[in-house]
Amino acid sequence: MIAIYKKDQILYTIADQELDADDGATLVKALNEHLKSNERAAWYMEMEPPKKGVKKSSGERLDISFPEEARLKKIALVGEKTWQERFTESLLPFSEAHIKYFGPEDGNMANNWLEQTSNSNSN
């Protein structure tokens, strides 16, 4: 499951470990729409830790490609290191954005880092 919302130039997505193909399609659609309407966009992506007794999703790679990728300036990945590495592998072929990693407990720090970009319009 995935939750998506926007604030100014930042797209916020919070997903659980059971991210499936439909969630991936929803995510790509939201990213494309956000990038079309924001010249200097940022993205907060948080992956919640798996719930006890819930099977982790397969290690399938998400296909994340979008036509306006140059508008994406910063990406904050919040979550466990293993997930961050897999997600980065999906992003790198398509984006030159500055990607910064934050631990599961560092969501506020990640948000502050993105808001600095949004408020100052700088990398």
Side-chain angles (χ1 to χ4, degrees), residues 74-91:
K74 282 189 174 182
I75 302 170
L77 295 180
V78 180
E80 296 174 349
K81 187 173 182 96
T82 322
W83 167 80
Q84 291 175 352
E85 290 168 355
R86 282 199 343 240
F87 204 79
T88 300
E89 288 174 9
S90 297
L91 284 170

Side-chain angles (χ1 to χ4, degrees), residues 6-11 29-39 41-43 71-72:
K6 300 172 189 174
K7 181 183 173 196
D8 302 322
Q9 295 176 319
I10 303 172
L11 179 71
K29 181 180 177 192
L31 268 171
N32 279 315
E33 290 172 0
H34 185 65
L35 293 174
K36 284 179 185 173
S37 61
N38 290 285
E39 194 71 32
W43 179 20
R71 292 179 172 206
L72 188 56

Side-chain angles (χ1 to χ4, degrees), residues 3-65:
I4 300 171
Y5 63 97
K6 300 172 189 174
K7 181 183 173 196
D8 302 322
Q9 295 176 319
I10 303 172
L11 179 71
Y12 293 88
T13 55
I14 302 172
D16 62 23
Q17 293 281 338
E18 295 299 309
L19 197 64
D20 62 20
D22 289 339
D23 293 328
T26 300
L27 173 61
V28 170
K29 181 180 177 192
L31 268 171
N32 279 315
E33 290 172 0
H34 185 65
L35 293 174
K36 284 179 185 173
S37 61
N38 290 285
E39 194 71 32
R40 299 184 58 80
W43 179 20
Y44 174 100
M45 178 62 187
E46 181 175 333
M47 180 68 77
E48 295 178 347
K51 294 172 181 63
K52 190 172 184 175
V54 175
K55 185 182 129 198
K56 282 189 177 184
S57 60
S58 67
E60 281 185 36
R61 196 174 146 174
L62 281 174
D63 179 19
I64 302 177
S65 60

